């Protein structure tokens, strides 16, 4: 399986992939292209200063760059600039909604609908509400997609929030967000979408989706760790109270009373992740230049190829739909995924092995863990070839 010139040129942009190493753990975190590294190094070095409060020129320039990152993020989502809240990642974004919007608007007797395939970050924040709100779980269909026909049967006016993953981090199955929004809004519920696995692979348009909240992390988007996004409709953000207090999120502070800045600043207490925001914007620019349509097709094609190769074996169980988006989870008969991952590492192949922060889904699948290979734009057929070779060696070791 040889690489063409375009694939070699793309892969060469990633210093973390130098040498004979096959990285198949992009769903956990993506490697970083040199363009993103250069942007973050410049922001942390030559251009570095604080933002918003400095009266000197470099601080003003850095403030412009930081707010330009917000505009870039808004464009990435087809949203408005003042609807973009910078957070530490999707986990914090979902917790923000839980502790601000949900804590104020949900009461005992209200219900939240999640799905069987949710990441723990879209389960635990709702459990932490402890205000008598009940959680219902939407099942999956036979192929591992969120069963929206079942969701329609489950939903009642008591449901105030539906929170679903756009793309499963285990199965690679894709949610029809517009349909989910229609179902949620039909009973008066809001729709929150966990977009971590979708953002690097799909063109996003929150206006077309008609959801109410959208969250994702930059580090899965070829950007830095420590920065993420919460998008919410402007009218919803304006009605939400801060969930953390400190500098930057205030209007005026006295010991008697504090008034808050307008959204989104009221949700960004403290010195923000300046460098990381600039790095995230650089990642969005890089990905746009490559093309999200190319990313989606490339990763779907690799997933189809890997599933086809694994299906030739009689000792592998595959999970998820055949058209999974860049993520393939599987089990090798008689071999714990951790053992498989260890042997593959000896072969220069990096996969994820475990429950992938989706323990309820593992219970549904009837396994304690799975092996997961996940692709990025830098992935190619040589990675699949190395993985298959490592699986064959594992089989020989375990008999």
């Amino acid at each position: 399986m040889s690489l063409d010139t375009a694939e070699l040129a793309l892969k060469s942009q990633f210093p973390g992939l130098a040498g004979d190493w096959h990285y198949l753990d992009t769903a956990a975190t993506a490697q970083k292209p040199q363009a993103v590294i250069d942007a973050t190094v410049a922001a942390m070095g030559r251009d570095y200063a604080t933002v918003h409060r400095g009266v000197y020129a470099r601080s003003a320039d850095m403030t412009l760059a930081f707010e330009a990152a917000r505009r870039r993020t808004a464009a990435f989502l087809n949203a408005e600039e003042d609807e973009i809240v910078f957070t530490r990642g999707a986990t914090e974004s979902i917790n923000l909604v839980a502790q601000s919007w949900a804590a104020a608007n949900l009461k005992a007797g209200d219900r939240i609908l999640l799905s069987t395939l949710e990441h723990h970050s879209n389960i635990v924040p709702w459990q932490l509400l402890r205000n008598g709100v009940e959680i219902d779980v939407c099942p999956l269909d036979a192929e591992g997609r969120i069963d929206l026909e079942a969701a329609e049967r489950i939903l009642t006016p008591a449901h105030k929030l539906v929170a679903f993953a756009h793309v499963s981090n285990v199965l690679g199955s894709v949610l029809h967000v517009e349909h989910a929004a229609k179902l949620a809004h039909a009973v008066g519920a809001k729709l929150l979408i966990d977009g971590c696995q979708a953002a690097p692979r799909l063109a996003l348009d929150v206006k077309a989706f008609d959801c109410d909240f959208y969250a994702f992390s930059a580090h899965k988007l070829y950007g830095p760790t420590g920065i993420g996004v919460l998008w919410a409709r402007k009218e919803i953000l304006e009605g939400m109270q801060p969930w953390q207090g400190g500098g930057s999120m205030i209007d005026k502070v006295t010991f008697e009373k504090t008034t808050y800045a307008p959204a989104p600043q009221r949700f960004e207490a403290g010195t923000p992740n300046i460098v990381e925001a600039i790095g995230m914007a650089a990642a969005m620019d890089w990905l746009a230049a490559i093309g999200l349509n190319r990313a989606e097709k490339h990763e779907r094609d690799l997933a189809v190829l890997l599933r086809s190769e694994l299906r030739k074996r009689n000792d592998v169980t595959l999970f998820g739909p055949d058209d999974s988006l860049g993520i393939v989870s599987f089990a090798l008969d008689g071999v714990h995924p951790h053992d498989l991952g260890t042997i593959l590492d000896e072969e220069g192949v990096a996969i994820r092995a475990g429950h992938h922060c989706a323990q309820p889904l593992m219970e549904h699948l009837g396994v304690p863990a799975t092996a997961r290979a996940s692709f990025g734009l830098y992935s190619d057929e040589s990675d699949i070839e190395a993985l298959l070779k490592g699986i064959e060696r594992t089989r020989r070791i375990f008999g």
Side-chain angles (χ1 to χ4, degrees):
M1 298 182 186
S2 60
L3 305 184
D4 63 28
T5 303
E7 287 176 321
L8 286 169
L10 183 59
K11 203 161 193 173
S12 69
Q13 295 181 43
F14 292 83
L17 297 177
D20 189 20
W21 191 51
H22 300 276
Y23 185 72
L24 291 170
D25 197 21
T26 301
T29 194
Q31 294 290 321
K32 317 307 174 194
Q34 190 63 51
V36 171
I37 296 170
D38 291 345
T40 55
V41 168
M44 186 171 283
R46 178 195 66 208
D47 302 333
Y48 186 74
T50 193
V51 296
H52 295 151
R53 292 175 295 280
V55 296
Y56 48 94
R58 188 184 289 189
S59 176
D61 290 343
M62 190 58 110
T63 299
L64 291 174
F66 179 73
E67 292 303 329
R70 196 186 307 275
R71 288 194 299 277
R72 181 66 186 89
T73 304
F76 186 76
L77 292 170
N78 190 28
E80 303 303 319
E81 184 178 346
D82 55 3
E83 296 175 325
I84 302 298
V85 179
F86 288 144
T87 64
R88 290 182 301 162
T91 297
E92 183 169 274
S93 295
I94 296 171
N95 276 276
L96 193 164
V97 176
Q99 295 302 318
S100 179
W101 179 83
N105 290 279
L106 274 57
K107 62 185 185 304
D110 290 337
R111 310 188 76 84
I112 295 173
L113 181 63
L114 308 178
S115 84
T116 301
L117 59 69
E118 299 308 316
H119 190 282
H120 297 165
S121 293
N122 198 26
I123 299 173
V124 180
W126 313 116
Q127 294 173 332
L128 289 173
L129 284 173
R130 299 192 181 96
N131 58 357
V133 173
E134 298 291 332
I135 294 174
D136 293 315
V137 181
C138 181
L140 309 181
D141 65 19
E143 292 189 316
R145 298 182 177 87
I146 298 173
D147 188 340
L148 293 180
E149 290 185 2
E152 186 173 14
R153 293 192 297 269
I154 294 168
L155 284 168
T156 71
H159 288 90
K160 305 303 179 185
L161 178 71
V162 176
F164 286 163
H166 195 164
V167 176
S168 168
N169 73 310
V170 176
L171 305 175
S173 51
V174 182
L175 174 73
H176 193 303
V177 177
E178 295 92 331
H179 189 186
K182 182 177 180 181
L183 296 179
H185 295 158
V187 297
K190 299 288 191 290
L191 176 65
L192 179 144
I193 297 295
D194 171 0
C196 277
Q197 300 299 335
R201 301 174 173 91
L202 296 173
L204 305 181
D205 185 340
V206 292
K207 292 179 181 176
F209 291 159
D210 199 29
C211 55
D212 301 286
F213 304 97
Y214 199 96
F216 65 90
S217 296
H219 72 98
K220 299 181 190 292
L221 184 69
Y222 306 99
T225 55
I227 183 77
V229 171
L230 170 66
W231 169 84
R233 295 180 185 275
K234 183 176 182 180
E235 62 270 21
I236 297 176
L237 275 182
E238 289 177 342
M240 290 168 55
Q241 292 300 301
W243 78 307
Q244 294 177 332
S248 298
M249 49 75 67
I250 56 89
D251 173 34
K252 182 178 180 181
V253 175
T254 69
F255 282 110
E256 291 73 34
K257 182 181 180 181
T258 294
T259 54
Y260 306 119
Q265 283 75 25
R266 77 173 65 162
F267 303 109
E268 297 177 3
T271 301
N273 292 335
I274 305 165
V275 172
E276 290 78 4
I278 291 170
M280 178 172 65
M284 291 173 178
D285 287 341
W286 179 86
L287 187 56
I290 298 296
L292 276 160
N293 290 337
R294 177 180 174 184
E296 178 180 359
K297 183 180 186 307
H298 180 69
E299 294 176 37
R300 282 192 189 276
D301 288 349
L302 288 173
V304 167
L305 176 60
L306 177 55
R307 291 179 70 89
S308 175
E309 292 295 324
L310 291 175
R311 195 172 281 112
K312 294 176 183 178
R313 304 183 61 95
N314 60 10
D315 59 352
V316 168
T317 302
L318 284 163
F319 304 102
D322 284 341
D323 63 348
S324 60
L325 183 52
I327 297 171
V328 179
S329 284
F330 63 96
L332 184 63
D333 292 352
V335 181
H336 193 283
H338 289 167
D339 294 326
L340 174 60
T342 299
I343 295 170
L344 287 172
D345 183 48
E346 295 172 356
E347 295 290 313
V349 179
I351 66 163
R352 179 69 45 159
H355 55 65
H356 318 297
C357 293
Q359 287 177 309
L361 177 56
M362 295 298 110
E363 183 177 356
H364 168 77
L365 297 175
V367 295
T370 71
R372 183 186 71 187
S374 53
F375 301 108
L377 267 165
Y378 39 67
S379 305
D380 53 53
E381 292 184 7
S382 72
D383 300 318
I384 294 177
E385 187 176 55
L387 172 62
L388 296 172
K389 180 182 176 182
I391 290 173
E392 186 57 37
R393 179 183 173 221
T394 305
R395 183 76 286 157
R396 291 196 301 270
I397 292 172
F398 279 84

